[in-house]
Amino acid sequence: METNNSNNMHSNGHGSNEGEIEEMDFSHSDFIEEDLATGLSSKDVKFDTIIGHIEDIVMEEPFQTIQNGFLEKYYKEFEDTEENKFCYTDIHKEYISLIESYLETELKKRLPEFCMLEFSQQLQSRKKELEGEIFEILLTFSDFMAFKEMLLDYKAEKEGNAIDLSGGLTVTPVQDKLNLDGASPFCITGKSLQGP
Amino acid sequence: MGLLTILKKMKQKEKEVRILMLGLDNAGKTTILKKFNGEDIDTISPTLGFNIKTLEHRGFKLNIWDVGGQKSLRSYWRNYFESTDALIWVVDSADRMRLGDCKKELHTLLVEERLAGATLLVFANKQDLPGSLSAPEIREALDLNSIKTHHWLIQDCSAVTGENLLNGMDWVVNDIASRIFTMD
């Protein structure tokens, strides 16, 4: 019986720095049975750990900061037209490599032994089992239309074109309006009724 | 290749194909795209960048990329070669003066490594115009018979009337399907 796989039990935690691995009591074999029950090999656990870290990374604030910095830098280039400018493609490529290198750097910080090449190979061998929100999120990063939409949304927000419903139910006294504007807010002016 | 690109390639949904539509300026690429999509084609102006449309056709999801064809824009074409399943080369069959140019540009594309596996459909467009050359004449002018590196077909069509556009697309989908989706 294998007794040399205590790592299996410990590599499951996300992000926490566990430090020294505790001495295990190998005399009773509960943990082996557990492994058999879940059908997880040490490779599975390692893979799941990496995915768990990726999930954490993209939800954390530094990631959002980087993303916002990128949007801020480029949103002015984007226009809400059907036709796309060639520069969008370059900007999208820059975005993809920014995200990729950030993920890699962060993963190496959290898992010093992390190797992107190895992880990429694992991904490819698990092709059929990649399900879940994190994969959808990662796929969105490389989807051009989703990227364009994200920039246009950001731009609309920046330029105040987004529909603001927050003031929708505010009651403004008519009297104040009258004093400020010198005209009743209920007056329909001729301008808007005139045809071309 | 980076992580996100790898993931994208792997998770490319089944029955999803990428089609790149190229050709000289004024060949009718954008008109074909809009006609496919059932959009108004009366107000199309020359494409200075690129358009993307996703269409459903016979259970396939077609991502069609239409890139501007003016001479000064052709150097950008290369940015759109990656992962292309089919190349649709659109020809203005009434533009006899530029058939030489048209042939040269097409054959330049066919030696591109990133387009090596792509199916090639040539649309002999503008058949509704008087004086347009027939598909066999265009085949001759573009020396299509010399192409041994790609599966190819030439289809006469009219983007304005919509004639034969679907025939061409059917062939493209069948050809891609027989290459890719039987391999799993």
Side-chain angles (χ1 to χ4, degrees), chain B residues 10-35:
Chain B
M10 281 166 33
K11 280 291 280 184
Q12 203 110 83
K13 299 211 177 65
E14 228 169 294
K15 298 201 155 190
E16 182 169 344
V17 299
R18 178 174 160 124
I19 297 173
L20 178 61
M21 192 151 62
L22 298 175
L24 303 189
D25 45 302
N26 200 39
K29 298 179 288 297
T30 307
T31 310
I32 289 175
L33 190 67
K34 296 212 166 188
K35 191 75 182 180

Side-chain angles (χ1 to χ4, degrees), chain B residues 6-144:
Chain B
I6 290 172
L7 262 178
K8 182 169 185 152
K9 287 202 169 172
M10 281 166 33
K11 280 291 280 184
Q12 203 110 83
K13 299 211 177 65
E14 228 169 294
K15 298 201 155 190
E16 182 169 344
V17 299
R18 178 174 160 124
I19 297 173
L20 178 61
M21 192 151 62
L22 298 175
L24 303 189
D25 45 302
N26 200 39
K29 298 179 288 297
T30 307
T31 310
I32 289 175
L33 190 67
K34 296 212 166 188
K35 191 75 182 180
F36 265 132
N37 211 28
E39 289 176 48
D40 175 41
I41 55 164
D42 295 334
T43 54
I44 294 170
S45 44
T47 304
L48 300 175
F50 61 101
N51 297 293
I52 307 169
K53 288 211 190 294
T54 301
L55 312 176
E56 295 279 345
H57 184 58
R58 288 179 30 211
F60 284 84
K61 189 174 171 191
L62 314 177
N63 297 313
I64 309 181
W65 294 62
D66 151 39
V67 187
Q70 292 179 20
K71 203 173 175 103
S72 60
L73 308 180
R74 293 177 202 159
S75 59
Y76 290 93
W77 287 355
R78 68 180 71 251
N79 296 337
Y80 302 92
F81 291 164
E82 204 69 51
S83 307
T84 294
D85 297 302
L87 173 66
I88 297 183
W89 182 254
V90 185
V91 183
D92 175 352
S93 306
D95 187 3
R96 295 163 188 248
M97 297 293 288
R98 293 203 296 166
L99 278 176
D101 200 10
C102 183
K103 172 185 166 185
K104 196 190 95 219
E105 294 286 0
L106 173 61
H107 285 269
T108 306
L109 288 176
L110 295 179
V111 297
E112 280 291 339
E113 202 179 320
R114 283 174 297 162
L115 293 174
T119 293
L120 170 67
L121 172 69
V122 178
F123 264 140
N125 189 26
K126 306 203 187 182
Q127 293 297 317
D128 53 300
L129 292 185
S132 62
L133 295 175
S134 68
E137 287 170 310
I138 297 288
R139 185 179 67 210
E140 194 71 24
L142 300 185
D143 195 19
L144 298 184

Side-chain angles (χ1 to χ4, degrees), chain A residues 38-58:
Chain A
T38 53
L40 289 176
S41 68
S42 65
K43 269 189 158 182
D44 287 331
V45 174
K46 197 174 167 196
F47 183 79
D48 290 347
T49 307
I50 295 172
I51 296 297
H53 280 297
I54 294 179
E55 281 170 345
D56 292 345
I57 291 167
V58 300

Side-chain angles (χ1 to χ4, degrees), chain A residues 172-180:
Chain A
T172 320
V174 172
Q175 203 52 48
D176 285 2
K177 269 273 183 193
L178 276 173
N179 291 341
L180 284 171

